[in-house]
Amino acid sequence: MLLDGRQSQLSRYTIKGQKQLYREQNLPEKQEGWYLIPGKVDKVSWLLIVFFVTTLGALYLLTVSI
């Protein structure tokens, strides 16, 4: 932004640019239930976040009880 200012077109290397590229070329967003397009989070992947938070909570409870 400092060097060139606002761009009139999206770069295809950004998430918004990839979404635009997928729309323009009619590429499939999913393959076998998994997203191909960047910036989308699969439903199963949210379980990893829940597992991570649960693990942190369990470790916290273990340190408090000692």
Side-chain angles (χ1 to χ4, degrees):
M1 290 269 302
L2 293 174
L3 298 175
D4 298 331
R6 280 215 182 263
Q7 302 294 318
S8 60
Q9 294 180 338
L10 294 172
S11 170
R12 68 179 215 173
Y13 299 110
T14 63
I15 291 176
K16 289 182 180 181
Q18 284 289 304
K19 287 180 180 180
Q20 183 181 27
L21 180 72
Y22 272 72
R23 276 193 307 267
E24 288 174 354
Q25 296 184 1
N26 292 327
L27 297 172
E29 286 189 14
K30 283 186 172 186
Q31 180 181 10
E32 297 178 10
W34 295 94
Y35 281 108
L36 299 173
I37 190 166
K40 295 275 192 169
V41 180
D42 299 304
K43 291 179 182 178
V44 174
S45 298
W46 287 108
L47 290 175
L48 288 174
I49 295 172
V50 170
F51 176 73
F52 177 72
V53 170
T54 305
T55 303
L56 287 178
L59 290 172
Y60 175 75
L61 291 175
L62 283 172
T63 58
V64 171
S65 65
I66 292 178

